[in-house]
Amino acid sequence: MKYKGWLLPPAMRDFHEGRIWLREHTAFAKQDIQRAIARKYLHIIEGIQTTPRLKCNRCHNDKPQFFTLFDCSKCQRQCVYCRHCLSMGRVSSCSQLMIWRGPKAYRKRQHPLQWTGQLTELQQQTADELLESVKVCRSHLISAVCGAGKTELLFQSVHYALEKGLRVCIAAPRTDVVLELFPRFQKVFPQTIIHAYYSGAPKQDGYAQLVLATTHQLYRFEQAFDVMIIDEADAFPYSFDKTLASAVQKAKTAQAPIYFMTATPTQTLLNDFKHRSFIPKRYHNKPLPVPRFSSLWGYEKSLQRGKLPRKLKEWTEERLAKNEPFLIFVPKIELLKMATPLFQKLHDHILAVHADDSDRKQKVLQLRNEEIPGLLTTTILERGITLKNIQVAVVGAESTIFTASALIQIAGRVGRHEAYADGDVVFFHHGVTLAMDEARETIIYNNKIGFSQ
């Protein structure tokens, strides 16, 4: 006898479980979506809550300045939409958001961990403390200096959670951090479906028990994750945009704890966590490179006149002569655009990247593969990038965008590889700031603590 019922498409379940998704953006057949709604597999909610006040049900924005009225051609009346999460597709008062309430996807409990590395004593102690927190379902803060090996000490806890059938999310504010972590987790969990979500990410199939995502992508999840890990929790924009913290709370299950990791914890983070671990030195047991200060008076005017300041030119030429890859940080995109052709006179393969650069991923890969000598960059690469033998210069270190934590993170790019544990970090400035002093003193203090134990 021919079966006349409806069989749930597994791909629909795998895609929608744990997500909050615009109905009009579904990739599945309309009749299948309608049948899933009829069977109460998909729960429908309005895109914008209008009473008692305006609130976007996807990103939880409730600030009036981020809502805009428009004449809606779909419903032939005036509607309101949320500009806060517009880049992910317009959510309006006549939009419908779908949340999966149907059968759950199958969760594997065998996830072989293929990592042959060895944790240091401090790393192992922290990994054990984190694992204990995961087992008893309590939140935990890991504070570890740049290059301490935070990613590696996660493997033990992630492995435990996956084999308990839990769904794990590792989120970070920056795309570059996600791009850095994704291949590393794929390598150590080769039989686990892992998805990476960021702006422009390719389509990925199957049900991912381990998800790596930018914190912005968490707007699209609802009660999805049993274990929530936030990497670089103090970074912009997470530290600036309160809806991202709300997105984290929305994306995890009600009882799920949160695990924060950073090299530069804010005082608020330190105060918020009863259970904390601290690693004051790098895995290779070598001190953190200490930044040096070098005055670069009138550098902006020099660039505007089409000339590289002498000290900056000499520093770059020395890196080129020694065949040392480098990152040069500048405070503004306008300066980046002015400086790039001047650096390309020294070497035509020096490139530049910034947040809106669609080729950013490829350019970083070129530097990693030693296909180019160096990159000019804004603060977009202050975190989440590990390159052996990298040298770093900051131009305009006195600029307000270079906070103490940003400068610590930038300095932390240098000396991460065991074979190249030293390197040059120079802060070119038009006057030393408190942030510069704080960054340098913090690094010196961490070295003192790390090597007094």
Side-chain angles (χ1 to χ4, degrees), residues 8-29 32-33 36 41-43 97-105 167 197 206-207 220-224:
L8 167 67
M12 178 191 289
R13 175 204 60 208
D14 294 347
F15 179 86
H16 280 288
E17 185 181 328
R19 297 205 202 199
I20 181 166
W21 201 257
L22 270 170
R23 183 173 180 176
E24 62 200 72
H25 280 186
T26 183
F28 299 96
D32 284 333
I33 292 293
Y41 289 174
L42 280 170
H43 175 61
L97 293 168
M98 303 187 297
I99 302 171
W100 188 255
R101 295 287 187 264
K104 300 294 185 182
R167 197 178 192 190
Y197 296 118
Y207 178 77
R220 288 174 161 162
F221 288 90
E222 186 100 359
Q223 296 185 25

Side-chain angles (χ1 to χ4, degrees), residues 205-255:
D205 297 323
Y207 178 77
Q209 233 174 290
L210 176 56
V211 168
L212 309 180
T214 59
T215 46
H216 275 94
Q217 293 295 321
L218 297 184
Y219 291 146
R220 288 174 161 162
F221 288 90
E222 186 100 359
Q223 296 185 25
F225 303 109
D226 308 294
V227 175
M228 177 66 73
I229 300 168
I230 308 297
D231 194 12
E232 307 292 3
D234 62 303
F236 180 88
Y238 185 84
S239 58
F240 175 78
D241 187 346
K242 291 183 179 179
T243 66
L244 289 173
S246 176
V248 168
Q249 294 293 334
K250 179 173 68 74
K252 73 180 187 66
T253 57
Q255 302 304 316

Side-chain angles (χ1 to χ4, degrees), residues 236-293:
F236 180 88
Y238 185 84
S239 58
F240 175 78
D241 187 346
K242 291 183 179 179
T243 66
L244 289 173
S246 176
V248 168
Q249 294 293 334
K250 179 173 68 74
K252 73 180 187 66
T253 57
Q255 302 304 316
I258 303 177
Y259 307 100
F260 282 104
M261 301 195 308
T262 181
T264 48
T266 62
Q267 192 58 50
T268 300
L269 273 178
L270 292 170
N271 293 341
D272 285 348
F273 283 85
K274 179 180 178 182
H275 297 280
R276 301 195 299 262
S277 301
F278 176 51
I279 303 180
K281 60 182 176 180
R282 289 178 161 174
Y283 73 96
H284 53 52
N285 207 34
K286 302 290 177 59
L288 300 159
V290 178
R292 59 186 179 89
F293 299 169

Side-chain angles (χ1 to χ4, degrees), residues 119-174:
L119 295 178
T120 66
E121 185 178 343
L122 278 173
Q123 282 179 310
Q124 189 62 62
Q125 178 183 329
T126 299
D128 291 342
E129 290 168 354
L130 176 61
L131 179 59
E132 183 59 29
S133 287
V134 172
K135 286 180 177 180
V136 299
C137 206
R138 70 185 177 208
S139 295
H140 198 111
L141 171 65
I142 295 174
S143 171
V145 298
C146 295
K150 294 190 295 295
T151 302
E152 287 75 15
L153 62 85
L154 286 179
F155 295 157
Q156 179 176 294
S157 291
V158 170
H159 183 237
Y160 170 85
L162 292 174
E163 298 221 318
K164 287 292 182 181
L166 304 178
R167 197 178 192 190
V168 180
C169 178
I170 302 173
R174 305 283 179 86

